[in-house]
Amino acid sequence: MTTVVHPRTPARRGAARASRWWAKAWVRAVEEASYSSADLSTARTISRSGRIGQISVEPGRFVAAVEDESGLWAVLGTVPVLEPSALDALVEAVAAESGRVAALLAGDLPHTLVEHAEEAGVELLPFGTELGSTCTCQAWADPCPHALAVMYQLAWLLDDDPLVLLHLRGLARDELLARLHERSAPESETGSGDDGDTDVDTDVDIAADAALRAAALLAELEAADRPSAT
């Protein structure tokens, strides 16, 4: 099971809102899951406070520590993982059109991809009733304000990287790329694949290489910004 730990988000001003359409859909589900506007108001305040630790994401769940005036709490949230047949259909939807995997790796979730997946019976974006959580604060509401705050921060992660949503639904980034390669490699090796499969395979290679180069550049910049040891 692939687990990715996302860095702690520093305190920020302004509303705890998302800007991209899929992240806004996530926020809508979060707000549907809440019990009261007061809980949402408290959650937004916590989410902006910088007192939520690193968020660990894996298929079907996310975990984070949350601090408030009453103490330190551990939140475990859940999202239903897609069935194997639905995951297969999702991979097919990504591969169906050249440029979709590159868009995902560049931080975009095409409307057409989600619509294509829905036509195949795959609901990628969750409903409020699908979001579950537990928290050591033992509040009677599920989700409690601490869990809602973590979900708001997940919306910010989704804003930057829609692959976080696929990961929660059961299809981690590396698995997606591997399955796209497996899907097109046999036909590419025999020369019997059509142009669409060749385009997808090339798409994966180019996009993955660009992503790796970007990650290496960010690592170099972060290293340069760190103060040298004295």
Side-chain angles (χ1 to χ4, degrees):
M1 182 179 293
T2 303
T3 301
V4 175
V5 179
H6 297 273
R8 182 176 188 143
T9 300
R12 60 192 288 181
R13 294 181 178 179
R17 301 287 182 174
S19 61
R20 313 294 290 276
W21 72 267
W22 59 89
K24 289 180 179 179
W26 172 273
V27 169
R28 185 164 57 249
V30 171
E31 295 179 347
E32 288 172 355
S34 70
Y35 274 82
S36 71
S37 58
D39 283 352
L40 288 173
S41 179
T42 300
R44 286 191 285 266
T45 298
I46 296 172
S47 69
R48 296 191 300 265
S49 68
R51 293 183 292 177
I52 296 178
Q54 297 175 321
I55 301 178
S56 176
V57 172
E58 60 187 53
R61 69 180 205 165
F62 52 91
V63 179
V66 180
E67 183 181 9
D68 66 6
E69 292 76 10
S70 301
L72 182 65
W73 316 106
V75 170
L76 167 63
T78 58
V79 183
V81 172
L82 297 174
E83 296 291 333
S85 59
L87 291 175
D88 291 341
L90 180 56
V91 173
E92 289 297 317
V94 174
E97 186 175 302
S98 178
R100 284 180 175 174
V101 65
L104 286 169
L105 291 171
D108 186 27
L109 180 60
H111 272 284
T112 56
L113 169 57
V114 175
E115 291 169 353
H116 189 154
E118 287 178 351
E119 290 170 1
V122 181
E123 291 287 348
L124 185 57
L125 294 163
F127 299 102
T129 53
E130 293 183 301
L131 301 178
S133 67
T134 58
C135 180
T136 54
C137 76
Q138 298 183 337
W140 65 268
D142 174 17
C144 69
H146 306 116
L148 290 169
V150 176
M151 292 177 188
Y152 271 128
Q153 283 210 358
L154 272 170
W156 301 344
L157 294 179
L158 294 178
D159 247 344
D160 295 332
D161 185 3
L163 286 169
V164 175
L165 175 60
L166 272 64
H167 191 179
L168 285 168
R169 285 301 215 176
L171 189 62
R173 171 198 178 107
D174 291 346
E175 182 183 353
L176 171 63
L177 294 176
R179 291 179 65 165
L180 288 169
H181 274 300
E182 289 171 2
R183 179 184 179 281
S184 55
E187 294 180 349
S188 298
E189 291 170 1
T190 60
S192 61
D194 59 26
D195 290 341
D197 286 333
T198 302
D199 287 344
V200 169
D201 197 38
T202 302
D203 229 8
V204 172
D205 289 336
I206 293 173
D209 180 67
L212 289 172
R213 289 175 182 272
L217 178 60
L218 286 173
E220 290 178 5
L221 292 173
E222 289 175 358
D225 288 338
R226 295 192 196 103
S228 58
T230 56

